[in-house]
Amino acid sequence: MWNVDVEYMCNQHILGEHVEMHMFVGALERKKSFKGFVEKGFVEIHNIRKRHSELEIEMIKRGMNHKSPIHRMKFVRLGKVDPEKSMVDLLKRCKNCRTNFKFKSKKYKEVK
Ligand SMILES: [Zn+2]
Ligand SMILES: [Zn+2]
């Protein structure tokens, strides 16, 4: 779970995080333990559904297909992802996210 502004992410990272959200839901349904993920700050259980909708909206905006809603279920309040740390990580790791970030953040400044 990156938890960063979806607009700054490249297509591949959007798709990747989207798949992860569904994997987390699947694991929750099977009552798997999230201890490792939570301890490492990789997931916010209570925000999975909200994050999934953010990704879904951005996917549709970019003309990608989305046919995988998340069913209503209980998400416990657990975990904390630091979006600033994620953004730094993502920009360090991914050239496409860097390009996208540069382009979008510049566009933002022009608008403001
Ligand atoms: Zn989905
Ligand atoms: Zn990327």
Side-chain angles (χ1 to χ4, degrees), residues 14-62:
I14 297 253
L15 288 173
E17 192 180 358
H18 172 251
V19 168
E20 271 172 32
M21 292 308 106
H22 282 283
M23 273 168 26
F24 279 134
V25 170
L28 278 172
E29 281 170 345
R30 291 193 305 275
K31 309 254 185 269
K32 287 232 168 139
S33 167
F34 279 78
K35 210 166 166 263
F37 288 103
V38 169
E39 276 171 2
K40 289 188 186 116
F42 287 166
V43 66
E44 291 176 359
I45 309 283
H46 49 286
N47 272 330
I48 288 176
R49 179 188 260 285
K50 183 174 153 263
R51 185 63 180 166
H52 176 268
S53 345
E54 286 172 7
L55 292 162
E56 179 183 347
I57 291 165
E58 187 65 18
M59 281 165 72
I60 293 165
K61 230 203 249 174
R62 297 188 189 192

Side-chain angles (χ1 to χ4, degrees), residues 24 43-44 49 59 64 68 71 81 85 102:
F24 279 134
V43 66
E44 291 176 359
R49 179 188 260 285
M59 281 165 72
M64 302 176 199
S68 50
H71 307 294
V81 178
K85 193 174 159 283
K102 237 194 238 166

Side-chain angles (χ1 to χ4, degrees), residues 2-3 6-7 9 11 13-14 16 23 27 29 34 36 45 47-48 56 61 67 74 84 92 101 106-107:
W2 291 102
N3 243 10
V6 286
E7 275 201 76
M9 295 166 75
N11 288 357
H13 271 110
I14 297 253
M23 273 168 26
E29 281 170 345
F34 279 78
I45 309 283
N47 272 330
I48 288 176
E56 179 183 347
K61 230 203 249 174
K67 294 190 189 85
K74 204 171 160 39
E84 267 176 56
K92 224 188 281 175
F101 179 78
K106 208 173 103 197
K107 208 169 73 180

Side-chain angles (χ1 to χ4, degrees), residues 91-103:
L91 295 179
K92 224 188 281 175
R93 272 194 233 179
C94 178
K95 189 172 158 276
N96 293 336
C97 283
R98 273 203 301 275
T99 311
N100 201 32
F101 179 78
K102 237 194 238 166
F103 176 72

